[in-house]
Amino acid sequence: PEIVNYPLGPGDVLEIKVFGVAELSSISRIDGYGNLSSLPFLEKPIPAKCRDEIQVQNSIAEAYKRLINDPQVSVRVIERNSRQPALVFGAVRQPTRVPMQGSLRLNELIATSGGITERAGGSIQILHTQPVMCPNPGEEQEALPLKGTDLPLKVVRIADMKAGKVEANPAIRPGDYVLVSEAEQVYITGSVVSPSAQLLTEGLTLSRVLAMAGGTRKEANLSDIRIYRQKIGAVHQDVLRVDYAA
């Protein structure tokens, strides 16, 4: 499909036609510096990075004016290779590599993977692996080379995204890794009808988790329910005593 105002980048391949002059027509790949450096009979490269087809077309026509009168040039993108796909995985229906040829937001990316599953926890992690290739004003810092040990990470709450909050639906960048975190398990034992393991989804409360275990038995001591919580890096568990009867 045609993509309007697609900013070109290294690796993109263009079909260039100069009408009436077949020897000047060519198929050319944008080099690693962002230029068209191998057009017939042109010594100077044509800048292409972060420009669209019309801008490049005008530059090529201007360059060929020294060879022919009023050159009629057309430029068409035949391969879009300059942007790495984004990857979405974790608690989604189908882990997916999504081509990044146009603008895409988080909710659209999630939709391409079939949506979030019931195993999802409360957050989505977005890891940027590539700098912004064509920064807008104010994004210059994001265009700097990334350090492999300090990649930018953004965390979004699923509830905020579903609520339509703008800040929870960021733009996805080429090369992004998007992880929908899976919920950990909580174990319900003791005087409940159905001792079991349940997914610790966001907003899970004591009353809900007891209901998911079928409720408490008659002999249960509701004034002394204990929650054993393991903290990261700690050897021993914390014990929270809850007076649920109250």
Side-chain angles (χ1 to χ4, degrees), residues 144-239:
L144 298 175
L146 301 179
K147 297 178 181 178
T149 57
D150 189 24
L151 296 178
L153 175 67
K154 181 179 179 63
V155 179
V156 172
R157 292 182 65 244
I158 293 174
D160 289 344
M161 184 186 70
K162 289 183 176 180
K165 294 185 178 180
V166 175
E167 66 275 12
N169 189 30
I172 299 300
R173 286 164 35 179
D176 278 358
Y177 283 19
V178 179
L179 171 64
V180 180
S181 60
E182 294 192 348
E184 301 287 346
Q185 288 187 316
V186 59
Y187 303 92
I188 307 102
T189 63
S191 294
V192 290
V193 173
S194 301
S196 58
Q198 301 292 343
L199 292 173
L200 186 57
T201 53
E202 187 176 36
L204 189 64
T205 61
L206 179 58
S207 59
R208 283 184 59 196
V209 83
L210 290 177
M212 291 161 72
T216 57
R217 295 179 180 172
K218 290 182 179 180
E219 69 272 16
N221 181 7
L222 298 183
S223 62
D224 187 17
I225 293 180
R226 302 182 187 187
I227 301 171
Y228 297 89
R229 182 168 296 168
Q230 185 71 47
K231 288 188 176 181
I232 296 176
V235 177
H236 302 290
Q237 291 179 322
D238 289 344
V239 182

Side-chain angles (χ1 to χ4, degrees), residues 26-61:
S26 64
I27 292 177
S28 183
R29 182 183 298 271
I30 300 173
D31 65 24
Y33 298 101
N35 299 320
L36 293 167
S37 55
S38 59
L39 297 186
F41 303 106
L42 291 184
E43 295 179 0
K44 292 185 178 180
I46 300 295
K49 182 179 177 181
C50 297
R51 307 176 78 201
D52 61 27
E53 298 106 303
I54 299 300
Q55 292 170 318
V56 172
Q57 176 180 296
N58 292 339
S59 293
I60 294 173

Side-chain angles (χ1 to χ4, degrees), residues 16-26 40:
I16 301 160
K17 290 184 178 180
V18 182
F19 296 103
V21 192
E23 58 267 28
L24 296 184
S25 298
S26 64

Side-chain angles (χ1 to χ4, degrees), residues 121-144:
S123 65
I124 300 172
Q125 300 177 33
I126 304 170
L127 182 69
H128 298 314
T129 67
Q130 302 290 326
V132 174
M133 186 172 69
C134 301
N136 295 316
E139 292 182 338
E140 292 79 8
Q141 190 69 25
E142 297 184 46
L144 298 175

Side-chain angles (χ1 to χ4, degrees), residues 37-87:
S37 55
S38 59
L39 297 186
F41 303 106
L42 291 184
E43 295 179 0
K44 292 185 178 180
I46 300 295
K49 182 179 177 181
C50 297
R51 307 176 78 201
D52 61 27
E53 298 106 303
I54 299 300
Q55 292 170 318
V56 172
Q57 176 180 296
N58 292 339
S59 293
I60 294 173
E62 185 66 29
Y64 277 136
K65 280 184 179 180
R66 69 179 183 83
L67 300 177
I68 58 176
N69 292 324
D70 192 24
Q72 301 297 307
V73 179
S74 73
V75 171
R76 183 171 68 94
V77 184
I78 58 176
E79 289 184 25
R80 294 182 171 90
N81 304 318
S82 59
R83 290 152 176 81
Q84 296 292 322
L87 176 63

